[in-house]
Structures are given as structure tokens and as C-alpha cells.
Amino acid sequence: MSQPKSQLDVDLLSINTIRTLAIDAVQQANSGHPGAPMGLAPVVYELWQKFLRYDPADPLWPNRDRFVLSAGHASMLLYATLHLAGVRAVNAKGEVTAELAVPMDEIKRFRQIDSRTPGHPESHLTTGVETTTGPLGQGAGNSVGMAITSKWLAENFNRPGFDIFNFNVYAICGDGDLMEGVGLRGGLAGGPPEAAQSLLDLRQQPRNAGRSCRVVLQRGRNHAFQGLRLERDARHGRERP
């Protein structure tokens, strides 16, 4: 008789499933980027499982939290998550259907012509992709616009004791995003946290990336943003502030 799985077992299985879907899809397409999905799978799983307010059966819910993958080359990270979360597809009439936004057949067609899983996420092709993130910095800049929109909607439509809009925006961006003005300056244009709320995960690459991350964190602090630097804990293999 098999023993019931603990929550830790389920979490690890889910994270590894995201990773293996990314690996298999990239291998099938003979192109793509498996590294970022493998490294970021725990981050995205934790976010979607414990923090993101999102209804997979109603991906058009106006007050849903937004997740933006500005590092669009890691697209299989998003496609695998949408598949496992069971996000439903929206048809051309704007109707939510019973079909999955990213079924397994589409994962098998990763990076193929006319598939719903192109190399970089396209919002008009795949339900659950909040914004197209092909050009560097595009998602980072757009996520700030979404966060400002949340605040604007709240100011204009919320009433005392009755919030209609209070959604958060979560974005993952890389050093390349921050080397582009639309990403770096877009983030700084958001102003202090009371003006916009957007959480950026800065995935630092070697060589010249360190300077970009340091610059955006320092400039962010100058604009009243909170910047945290995570370092890997060698004893436990985990990241810590």
C-alpha cells in the first residue's frame, strides 16, 4: 500500500514537472532555452501556488493578479505553468472555453509555426500571457504600466469598504531587460510603492550583468523602492536575502 505524499513531495514533484516539460519541449524543438525555466521553476511555482490571485477557469477576471515573464526567452517556464495550472483558453469571441490554453499537444509543438507556444510569449496567441515579451525590457516596462493601472482603477472605482480593483503585478526580468531604457527607466517611472506595485526578480547572469542589477537596485532605492539582494546559502543550496 503506497504512503500518502506529503506537501513537500507534491511541491517538489510539481517543480520538477515544470522543469522536465521545459527540457523535453526544448529537446523536441531542437532550439530554445531550458536553463532559465529549470532555475526559476521553484520561484514561479511558489508564486502561483501561494501568492498569485488567479482563477484558471476565468483568465479574463479583471481583478486577477498579473504575472509577466519579461525574460521571454524562458517561455517554456510560462507555458508549463499555464498547462499545469489548467488555465482555460479564450476564443476569438472573447469567450472562455473548456479547452486548455496550453494543452500537451501545443507543448509538443513548441517553437513551431502557428503553435500557441512560440519562442517568446505572444499575448494575442496564448491565453494567460498578459503581454508579449519578445523585445528586451518590454515586459518589465509593461508590468509597471499594469501596476499603475491597478492604482488608477482603485482610485476611480473603489469605495470605502468595497474594493473592486486591488490586483498586484509580478514580473521576472533579466539583466538584458535592464540594459534597455524601456525596462530600466520604465521601472523607475513607477515612482514610490504607493504609486505602483510591481515585484521584479532580477536574474543575474555573469560578466556585465552584475553592474545592471546594481544600477537598477540603487536607482530603485533612490526612488523609494525596496531592493533586496539574494545570495545563495551554500549550506542549504537556497537563496537568502
Side-chain angles (χ1 to χ4, degrees):
M1 181 175 179
S2 61
Q3 295 295 321
K5 290 183 178 296
S6 68
Q7 185 58 49
L8 182 61
D9 291 333
V10 173
D11 291 342
L12 185 59
L13 176 62
S14 301
I15 291 167
N16 285 337
T17 301
I18 294 173
R19 287 169 165 161
T20 52
L21 282 174
I23 295 170
D24 288 345
V26 170
Q27 182 69 24
Q28 171 76 9
N30 199 28
S31 66
H33 304 267
M38 291 175 67
L40 285 167
V43 177
V44 172
Y45 174 76
E46 184 81 0
L47 174 63
W48 278 68
Q49 182 77 350
K50 297 183 179 179
F51 297 97
L52 202 74
R53 293 178 303 167
Y54 191 96
D55 183 0
D58 187 10
L60 299 180
W61 176 37
N63 198 40
R64 68 188 181 279
D65 285 347
R66 271 69 171 175
F67 171 68
V68 176
L69 184 65
S70 190
H73 66 282
S75 55
M76 264 311 303
L77 175 68
L78 179 54
Y79 299 146
T81 303
L82 294 175
H83 172 74
L84 295 174
V87 175
R88 294 298 185 256
V90 176
N91 63 23
K93 297 180 180 179
E95 302 166 333
V96 179
T97 69
E99 182 185 3
L100 288 178
V102 184
M104 184 58 70
D105 285 344
E106 291 296 332
I107 290 180
K108 293 178 180 178
R109 298 178 63 216
F110 177 57
R111 282 181 166 252
Q112 305 305 303
I113 294 176
D114 295 329
S115 75
R116 283 186 243 161
T117 50
H120 288 72
E122 304 270 353
S123 59
H124 65 286
L125 293 179
T126 314
T127 303
V129 175
E130 299 290 355
T131 183
T132 298
T133 54
L136 288 171
Q138 190 80 17
N142 281 344
S143 69
V144 175
M146 293 177 187
I148 294 174
T149 299
S150 176
K151 293 298 185 182
W152 186 91
L153 290 170
E155 286 291 327
N156 284 274
F157 294 102
N158 288 358
R159 295 295 181 265
F162 189 76
D163 286 352
I164 300 176
F165 295 103
N166 57 6
F167 63 84
N168 294 312
V169 183
Y170 301 88
I172 288 179
C173 71
D175 58 287
D177 293 297
L178 304 181
M179 293 178 186
E180 299 293 337
V182 69
L184 177 59
R185 292 177 179 83
L188 301 181
E194 59 268 20
Q197 50 197 36
S198 180
L199 305 180
L200 300 179
D201 178 22
L202 311 178
R203 305 307 299 183
Q204 182 173 326
Q205 301 291 337
R207 298 179 183 174
N208 57 357
R211 182 178 180 279
S212 294
C213 292
R214 288 194 296 272
V215 167
V216 75
L217 287 175
Q218 184 56 53
R219 291 184 180 177
R221 292 187 184 105
N222 294 341
H223 285 70
F225 278 97
Q226 180 186 26
L228 300 177
R229 181 185 179 88
L230 298 179
E231 296 179 358
R232 185 164 293 280
D233 189 330
R235 294 171 301 169
H236 303 291
R238 284 182 243 160
E239 293 183 333
R240 57 181 174 80

